[in-house]
Amino acid sequence: MSNFPFLSVLTVAPLVGALVVAFLPRHRPELAKQVAFAWSLLVLVLSVVMWVSFNAGGDRFQFRESYSWIPNWGVSFTFAADGIALVMLMLIAVLVPLVILASWHDAESSKRSVPVYFALLLVLECTMIGVFAAADVFLFYVFFEVMLVPMYFLIGSYGGHQRQYAAVKFFLYSLVGGLFMLAAVIGLWVVGGKTFDWQALSQVDISTGTERWLFLGFFLAFAIKAPFFPFHTWLPDAGGAAPAGAAALLVGVLDKVGTFGILRYCLPLFPEASKWFAPWALALGVIGIVYAALLAVGQNDLKRLVSYTSIAHFGFIGVGIFAFTTQAGTGAVLYMLNHGLATGLLFLVVGMLISRRGSALISDFGGAGKLVPVLAGVLFFAGLASLALPGTAPFISEFLVLIGTFTVNKPVAVIATLGIILAAAYVLWMVQRTTQGTLNPALTEVDGMRRDLNLREKVVVAPLIALIVLLGFFPKPVTDVINPAVQATMDDIGRTDPAPSVGGTVQEAAK
Amino acid sequence: MTELKLPSIDYAAISPILIMLGTALLGVLVEALVPRRWRHVVQLTLALLAVLAALTMVVLSADERIITAGQALAIDGPTLFLQGAILVLAAMALLLIGDRSVERGGAFVAQAAVTAESADDRRQAEGRNGLTEVYPLTTFAIGGMLIFVAANDLLTMFIALEVFSLPLYLLCALARRRRLLSQEAAMKYFLLGAYASAFFLFGVALIYGFTSGIPGRTAGVDFATIHAAVGESPASPVLLFAGMALLAIGLLFKAAAAPFHVWTPDVYQGAPTPVTGFMAACTKVAAFGALLRVFQVAFADANWDFTPVLGAVAVLTMLVGAVLAVTQTDIKRLLAYSSIANAGYLLVGVLAPSRDGLAGTMFYLVAYGFSVLAAFAVVTLVRDDDGEATHLSRWAGLGRRSPFFAALFTFILLAFAGIPLTSGFTSKFAIFGPALEGGQAWLVIAGVLTSMILAFPYLRVVVMMWLSEPGESTPTVTVPGGLTSAALMIGVLATLVLGVAPAPLLDLAAGAAEFVR
């Protein structure tokens, strides 16, 4: 099976599905939804087969395919996946069907074409898979930029309040980052001898000055995408305005392209510059953790609140990456996956609450748990996962990041730990104000609030809850895949872990 | 007295030029002899056939690399590539010019002499058939452009400049609607264009002076003589620098580079939209073809002297185009400023002194020409009772009214913004890559920064079309007839194909990217 061209098929399949869905008659929205859902399930099945046929102990990059594209510039369609990319591909494949299911009625309120909404989701899936599967820098850049277009229309056409402003802000911020990266991509191409192949480029020696400029070009694009403080201001707007399903993908997957890009491109291609800039990147991460958490505490809009929590979590991932230890790195990658699951769930649940209430403001809720107990329970669980309660998957990743950082940089680890306390504050206070306490009388007058989760919504949240609990107790299948890839990345920048001083316990925690 | 020797002329090699100019003359006869109701069909067919024939001759002589007609014309790779580009783009423009289904009687005035805003003018605007003189004018202009990119001495270049400029001045004045705006545009273009020509001619004189006095060589303005003179002339270099500067002014005016761009928005707005498209695509190709030849052949050895100056002009052009595009409220003016910014990017290509740079610039010219013609084709379609609705506020909600054309226009705007999988991206790469390689990192940085600014106005139009609610006055999109549809589809398809599979055209450009001296 390992000869099957998984990555190219996975990239193209959603695009074909999108074309099919887009050309379905507009007056039959149900059919479009079913086709889109079935198609995304197909992609999921294929991804699972790929996951199974991935050899965790084998080569760093597997499923490599290469087809010539623009020979004049040395560009080719090269796909390959390491453990990190594989985990992200699985995350996409799992999230997209759930998002489609969760957005079943989202597009109807917008007066826009319903099939187009689902077609856009599938186009987005195509570009997301492509960006993680690409092993050619040019190809990566193409997907990185094209990804903006479907997301732009998802936010702009189907979003809520201030959607135009949010869509344009999202597009321009990302484009600015992308264009800096384009300059760096061209620069890399020139110094790298006119090739875009990742493996060839990672062998090239670059002079220190050039390397630092190129690193900055890439890093800026990724820092805006992720987003890290102080490039984060677009995310609360975009996350707040996007329809809940698209927001779940935006924060759950799209933003991971930033952290993934740092791991795959910045560190291995510019190892010296990465080390040189690491203190600054760590500082940005730590500031992001504390600053975004404080802002999250102050939010009155549910979706904006979740967006701010994500920025804080991206701070953790950034710290984990730039600590340059295997534990912290593994923790960061695991965090990328777990955050996708937990925040994806949180966004979807919040979306269900908002569509029932017709308002995203926390002050419009209050005591909702008395009306919709199951929904409130799921929100509580998603909140706990988001604050990294032990027993849920995010705990393991956060813990790995902190101990991995502590071995090399104690102050950063100590300050980052503050983030855990603040996380408890913003999650619990949000849960308390929306679902606990005395019932807000206005809620009883809203029809939607009398309906608890229906079967469709239960099907959406159940797999995510199951995965969060499962990976919370048994992360080994995932860490086994991630570990060699992170190890290889650390080798690329020539860092070895400090010898553990408390014999072995740290290593056991990693397993 | 030495005996006067006639230069030998390779007629096959210069046949595209002869075909176009011959057809233009024939077109004048058609005006005189063919009955009025047949003229439109005959003229359009004749013009299109001539373009096709000229294109065939260009393709047939693809491997020609000679200097002919004395030292006057160089038929080499860049000449043939750019001539081919001009002819293909001109064919598209002719389709737009010839369309009479979008507006009754076509986009051109029925009688140029009718007083604007008079009762007679209102009657002609109702739908009397437009002038058919536009076809000979256009073919003359195309012929002039073909000479312009082939010219191998400055005098031939000057004559070609006039041959293609004069018909354009006239064409600008022939809009059926908003006649005052159109006439004002033509007047401005003519006056400023005449100044620019004068600058150019003065530059020629100075360069002639500079080339004299070299032992064993006669003075002259052909590029081989100038090239030699740059290295060994005993004359003061002030003559060279002043001459180069004056020549550059004349050429940069046509290329719409800052600070010689002031005419562009007014002329683009006032001229009939098909003519605007013709100018934006073909004049750009011709002007940059000449710029490339002058600076990479004649003054190649002085590149240390002109690179900083032209680089500054390029940065200024990109900045002016991008920043002023942000403030525009009229779609034609917006496209005009975008075309100014694109002239800036093209100048970056001119300053990349390598084969790759030349190939990239030529690729960019073709890619941009297709996109900009498609863009203006859409502009001709969005209209109400008063003709084209060019104010941006009128485009609000267009995506709801006619999703198909709005989608096409969105695609073209994304191409202008340089999003991958469009020709806008590949062509930027084709230019910035060689520029960076040539050590012009500052130009690339400036290009990237201005691209960001420029993305905003494009995005604003997209927002207008898709995310705004249709207003009371949102015009409808006329379903175009065959000619405009054909031009539009060719433009959009080329934008897509050159973005997804640019390799064949890149190969062609790379194979052609060498001047003969």
Side-chain angles (χ1 to χ4, degrees):
Chain A
M1 260 325 259
S2 62
N3 288 330
F4 184 79
F6 279 109
L7 294 171
S8 55
V9 171
L10 272 178
T11 308
V12 174
L15 189 65
V16 176
L19 286 176
V20 171
V21 172
F23 286 102
L24 287 174
R26 197 182 163 157
H27 55 86
R28 294 190 61 189
E30 286 302 314
L31 181 67
K33 293 172 189 175
Q34 287 153 5
V35 173
F37 182 60
W39 213 286
S40 62
L41 280 184
L42 201 76
V43 173
L44 174 60
V45 171
L46 195 61
S47 309
V48 171
V49 177
M50 180 176 77
W51 173 276
V52 172
S53 47
F54 186 85
N55 177 7
D59 291 343
R60 177 179 186 183
F61 287 96
Q62 298 181 25
F63 312 121
R64 189 180 166 87
E65 304 169 47
S66 193
Y67 315 101
S68 178
W69 181 12
I70 311 175
N72 318 54
W73 296 337
V75 178
S76 58
F77 288 105
T78 306
F79 295 102
D82 59 359
I84 304 173
L86 185 76
V87 168
M88 295 314 295
L89 292 174
M90 275 314 289
L91 176 65
I92 298 167
V94 169
L95 273 184
V96 170
L98 298 178
V99 162
I100 290 179
L101 208 54
S103 324
W104 211 252
H105 298 296
D106 277 9
E108 282 153 20
S109 55
S110 69
K111 294 184 293 182
R112 309 268 171 154
S113 162
V114 174
V116 169
Y117 179 82
F118 291 94
L120 283 172
L121 281 178
L122 286 176
V123 173
L124 189 64
E125 184 175 21
C126 156
T127 56
M128 289 189 303
I129 292 178
V131 88
F132 288 111
D136 180 285
V137 182
F138 191 91
L139 190 64
F140 172 82
Y141 180 79
V142 166
F143 281 117
F144 186 85
E145 289 282 90
V146 173
M147 204 161 57
L148 302 181
V149 178
M151 199 63 205
Y152 169 79
F153 282 103
L154 280 173
I155 299 175
S157 296
Y158 300 92
H161 184 57
Q162 279 214 317
R163 56 200 166 87
Q164 291 191 14
Y165 170 77
V168 172
K169 193 170 178 182
F170 160 75
F171 197 95
L172 285 181
Y173 262 74
S174 304
L175 193 68
V176 165
L179 285 168
F180 275 114
M181 189 165 116
L182 175 62
V185 166
I186 298 176
L188 184 62
W189 177 70
V190 170
V191 296
K194 302 204 172 181
T195 175
F196 281 110
D197 185 68
W198 186 90
Q199 255 152 352
L201 286 173
S202 62
Q203 309 296 328
V204 172
D205 280 328
I206 310 171
S207 70
T208 315
T210 316
E211 187 181 326
R212 285 180 190 165
W213 282 112
L214 296 180
F215 173 89
L216 266 187
F218 276 88
F219 182 75
L220 197 63
F222 296 142
I224 291 175
K225 197 82 182 177
F228 290 148
F229 175 87
F231 310 108
H232 64 279
T233 60
W234 62 269
L235 183 63
D237 287 316
L249 287 180
L250 175 70
V251 176
V253 181
L254 231 65
D255 293 349
K256 306 297 191 308
V257 176
T259 47
F260 172 80
I262 293 174
L263 274 170
R264 170 67 76 77
Y265 295 95
C266 284
L267 265 47
L269 297 183
F270 317 114
E272 294 309 314
S274 301
K275 277 184 250 179
W276 199 73
F277 281 105
W280 275 270
L282 282 174
L284 289 188
V286 170
I287 294 173
I289 292 174
V290 178
Y291 176 75
L294 286 174
L295 285 181
V297 174
Q299 292 304 311
N300 189 31
D301 180 305
L302 280 169
K303 286 202 264 185
R304 289 179 73 89
L305 187 147
V306 180
S307 303
Y308 276 115
T309 69
S310 297
I311 298 169
H313 292 155
F314 281 115
F316 271 108
I317 301 178
V319 167
I321 292 173
F322 281 97
F324 298 141
T325 59
T326 316
Q327 283 155 7
T330 307
V333 177
L334 203 56
Y335 211 139
M336 284 158 64
L337 170 69
N338 293 336
H339 175 262
L341 296 173
T343 308
L345 177 66
L346 193 56
F347 248 120
L348 293 176
V349 177
V350 160
M352 292 169 189
L353 259 182
I354 293 171
S355 68
R356 282 174 165 72
R357 178 66 181 87
S359 161
L361 298 182
I362 294 178
S363 52
D364 284 344
F365 290 91
K370 298 194 173 59
L371 292 173
V372 283
V374 182
L375 180 53
V378 176
L379 179 72
F380 187 53
F381 177 83
L384 291 182
S386 195
L387 66 79
L389 189 78
T392 60
F395 168 72
I396 297 183
S397 37
E398 204 157 292
F399 190 67
L400 276 176
V401 167
L402 287 175
I403 53 172
T405 311
F406 193 79
T407 54
V408 289
N409 196 335
K410 291 192 176 60
V412 168
V414 170
I415 301 173
T417 313
L418 279 180
I420 301 183
I421 301 166
L422 287 169
Y426 58 66
V427 167
L428 292 178
W429 200 34
M430 181 269 285
V431 171
Q432 189 210 344
R433 282 185 296 166
T434 47
T435 60
Q436 308 297 314
T438 47
L439 181 63
N440 182 350
L443 281 183
T444 50
E445 287 156 28
V446 184
D447 278 346
M449 290 306 292
R450 297 203 196 95
R451 286 183 284 107
D452 209 337
L453 288 187
N454 60 24
L455 181 62
R456 173 178 62 81
E457 288 165 329
K458 281 178 188 156
V459 173
V460 170
V461 295
L464 289 173
I465 294 176
L467 276 172
I468 290 172
V469 174
L470 183 73
L471 293 177
F473 285 98
F474 188 58
K476 190 172 181 321
V478 180
T479 46
D480 279 354
V481 170
I482 296 175
N483 247 326
V486 172
Q487 190 69 54
T489 308
M490 293 305 142
D491 289 346
D492 282 337
I493 55 169
R495 278 289 168 105
T496 47
D497 295 334
S501 49
V502 200
T505 48
V506 167
Q507 276 301 318
E508 268 160 36
K511 286 287 148 72
Chain B
M1 275 295 282
T2 48
E3 196 180 337
L4 201 62
K5 263 205 303 200
L6 283 176
S8 74
I9 295 178
D10 184 337
Y11 286 100
I14 65 164
S15 58
I17 298 169
L18 299 178
I19 291 173
M20 288 321 293
L21 294 179
T23 312
L25 294 172
L26 207 61
V28 176
L29 283 181
V30 170
E31 281 303 308
L33 301 176
V34 174
R36 183 178 288 274
R37 63 199 162 92
W38 290 107
R39 273 183 218 161
H40 169 64
V41 180
V42 173
Q43 290 280 28
L44 181 60
T45 321
L46 199 62
L48 282 175
L49 282 179
V51 169
L52 211 61
L55 193 59
T56 315
M57 292 313 293
V58 168
V59 174
L60 285 181
S61 48
D63 296 326
E64 201 80 66
R65 301 284 183 271
I66 54 158
I67 293 179
T68 184
Q71 288 284 309
L73 293 173
I75 308 296
D76 54 9
T79 300
L80 290 163
F81 185 92
L82 294 172
Q83 283 187 340
I86 289 172
L87 288 167
V88 171
L89 296 172
M92 277 173 70
L94 273 171
L95 293 176
L96 290 181
I97 290 172
D99 193 288
R100 284 190 170 178
S101 64
V102 173
E103 163 129 47
R104 265 179 65 202
F108 296 91
V109 68
Q111 277 289 329
V114 166
T115 317
E117 312 288 330
S118 66
D120 205 18
D121 184 33
R122 275 193 291 283
R123 266 200 302 285
Q124 70 84 21
E126 291 298 302
R128 269 165 54 199
N129 281 342
L131 285 170
T132 45
E133 281 89 343
V134 292
Y135 300 105
L137 287 173
T138 312
T139 24
F140 266 125
I142 300 170
M145 290 172 185
L146 295 188
I147 309 174
F148 199 53
V149 294
N152 195 44
D153 72 46
L154 291 173
L155 268 183
T156 315
M157 194 171 261
F158 177 74
I159 290 166
L161 179 72
E162 294 304 307
V163 170
F164 86 77
S165 293
L166 288 171
L168 280 179
Y169 302 145
L170 275 173
L171 283 169
C172 285
L174 297 180
R176 176 184 293 267
R177 318 260 187 169
R178 303 198 189 95
R179 306 240 340 107
L180 281 178
L181 214 57
S182 172
Q183 286 168 358
E184 183 196 327
M187 198 65 188
K188 252 184 198 158
Y189 195 18
F190 172 68
L191 284 178
L192 292 175
Y195 270 117
S197 298
F199 275 109
F200 186 90
L201 205 52
F202 199 14
V204 177
L206 291 185
I207 294 295
Y208 181 79
F210 176 72
T211 58
S212 58
I214 307 171
R217 268 183 180 275
T218 47
V221 287
D222 60 290
F223 292 161
T225 308
I226 298 173
H227 181 76
V230 169
E232 45 194 285
S233 171
S236 154
V238 175
L239 276 181
L240 172 69
F241 296 150
M244 267 203 302
L246 293 171
L247 284 179
I249 290 175
L251 293 173
L252 291 174
F253 172 84
K254 282 289 159 203
F260 317 108
H261 67 284
V262 191
W263 58 275
T264 319
D266 290 333
V267 174
Y268 275 31
Q269 186 187 18
T273 306
V275 174
T276 313
F278 178 57
M279 288 193 295
C282 297
T283 309
K284 267 266 184 315
V285 179
F288 275 96
L291 268 171
L292 282 168
R293 193 175 290 277
V294 168
F295 284 103
Q296 296 197 357
V297 177
F299 297 120
D301 292 346
N303 65 352
W304 279 96
D305 300 313
F306 68 73
T307 302
V309 180
L310 275 190
V313 169
V315 172
L316 186 67
T317 308
M318 294 188 265
L319 260 183
V320 165
V323 172
L324 291 183
V326 173
T327 63
Q328 297 310 309
T329 54
D330 182 285
I331 186 73
K332 282 171 87 174
R333 290 182 80 86
L334 196 161
L335 289 173
Y337 279 107
S338 131
S339 120
I340 293 171
N342 275 290
Y345 302 137
L346 280 160
L347 274 176
V348 176
V350 174
L351 293 178
S354 63
R355 256 190 103 138
D356 284 346
L358 177 56
T361 314
M362 296 198 297
F363 179 83
Y364 196 114
L365 283 167
V366 175
Y368 177 72
F370 278 118
S371 304
V372 82
L373 269 168
F376 280 110
V378 175
V379 172
T380 65
L381 298 179
V382 182
R383 51 198 313 135
D384 57 14
D385 293 343
D386 278 339
E388 289 160 7
T390 54
H391 198 274
L392 270 185
S393 63
R394 308 283 312 275
W395 286 51
L398 203 72
R400 301 284 188 83
R401 295 277 176 97
S402 17
F404 179 67
F405 290 103
L408 291 186
F409 199 63
T410 304
F411 178 71
I412 296 163
L413 288 173
L414 290 178
F416 283 150
I419 301 291
L421 301 186
T422 66
S423 65
F425 173 67
T426 44
S427 49
K428 282 215 173 67
F429 189 91
I431 280 194
F432 289 162
L436 207 55
E437 215 173 351
Q440 307 287 352
W442 64 296
L443 289 178
V444 176
I445 302 282
V448 165
L449 288 175
T450 51
S451 299
M452 293 172 197
I453 305 174
L454 203 54
F456 179 69
Y458 299 141
L459 210 57
R460 209 160 47 115
V461 181
V462 175
V463 169
M464 272 285 174
M465 290 195 300
W466 293 100
L467 308 188
S468 300
E469 299 300 317
E472 286 282 304
S473 60
T474 299
T476 48
V477 172
T478 314
V479 178
L483 296 179
T484 302
S485 304
L488 178 58
M489 290 328 277
I490 293 172
V492 170
L493 278 180
T495 306
L496 179 67
V497 169
L498 295 181
V500 176
L505 188 67
L506 281 172
D507 280 334
L508 194 64
E514 196 163 21
F515 288 111
V516 295
R517 286 233 168 83

